[in-house]
Amino acid sequence: MPVVKTKSAVDSLSEEAVLEVVATDPGSVSDIDGWASGTDGVDLLDQAEDGDEFKHYIQKTA
Amino acid sequence: MSADTPTNPSDGDAEAMTETELRDRVEELEDSVAQLKADAAAGQKKMTIIATKGTFDMAYPPLIPASTAAAFGWEVVVFHTFWGLDILHEEKSKNLQLSAVGNPNMPMPNALAALPGMDRMATRMMEKRIDDNGTATVEELIDVSLDQGVELQACQMTIELMDYDDDDFYDDVVTGVGAATALQHMTESDVQLLV
């Protein structure tokens, strides 16, 4: 559940901090993108595929 | 009524209003539409899920969207009724069973699946898959849902019917609610699902 765990982790971040999410779920690419665009105060900076892992970089903007 | 008002002269109601009145009315309506749109955009989305099934495989369909919607900041209520109540039952939720019978996707004929112990075997197989795949367990999903602010409700009528006790459920599960409460949440919700 990459989205749910990302949300929890973002909640504990301070403003401007960037979170790196490492997921094994290929669906996380679309899911985290959708979550970030539908959520205020977060900015999806980058998404990258690294072997079997999918990395997402999310900045807390507010 | 002025000559240039493009209304049907036979329309009694329209005739009663002057052009200025009509313009004022249109402006008034435009304002209220804009206000409604602003409210809808700013307003929190709401979802109500009715969970009625208590087999291992049917515990996931209500809990995955519930926890995900909560991550989107939605206000989520899951009303657990009948067998769906077992998902919230602390002891039973750890022993939910998958039925080997009646599922055409099971890699065994029904005649074989009906033999004693087959449900348990099918459940073990599924549990192993979930473990291997790193998929969340039912218990983890409940914890994370409650943590995200999902309101998990246990139908009071079913609690009494099944002879359960309030203490049988996970902490923070809401008891003492019935169909009327669920209906009220459904009316206020943007999304309503029956699982």
Side-chain angles (χ1 to χ4, degrees), chain A residues 1 3-5 7-8 11 24 31 34-36 38-39, chain B residues 64 67-68 70-73 133 136 140-141 144 147-148:
Chain A
M1 26 181 191
V3 165
V4 176
K5 286 188 174 167
K7 162 72 164 69
S8 301
D11 283 347
T24 53
D31 280 0
W35 171 78
T39 305
Chain B
I64 299 268
S67 53
T68 306
F72 274 82
N133 202 34
E140 280 170 344
L141 276 175
V144 86
D147 198 45
Q148 296 279 326

Side-chain angles (χ1 to χ4, degrees), chain B residues 88 154 156 159 164-171 173-176:
Chain B
L88 301 182
Q156 191 61 38
I159 293 177
Y164 291 158
D165 196 83
D166 282 6
D167 298 336
D168 294 338
F169 303 104
Y170 287 93
D171 292 346
V173 164
V174 178
T175 55

Side-chain angles (χ1 to χ4, degrees), chain A residues 27-61:
Chain A
S28 65
V29 178
S30 162
D31 280 0
I32 288 184
D33 184 21
W35 171 78
S37 50
T39 305
D40 290 335
V42 293
D43 195 9
L44 180 60
L45 304 176
D46 195 23
Q47 291 183 299
E49 196 177 333
D50 182 9
D52 290 341
E53 291 177 344
F54 300 88
K55 293 184 174 172
H56 315 271
Y57 298 89
I58 296 136
Q59 185 165 38
K60 185 165 179 172
T61 56

Side-chain angles (χ1 to χ4, degrees), chain B residues 141-152 170-173:
Chain B
L141 276 175
I142 288 171
D143 282 347
V144 86
S145 295
L146 288 168
D147 198 45
Q148 296 279 326
V150 173
E151 187 169 317
L152 299 177
Y170 287 93
D171 292 346
D172 297 331
V173 164

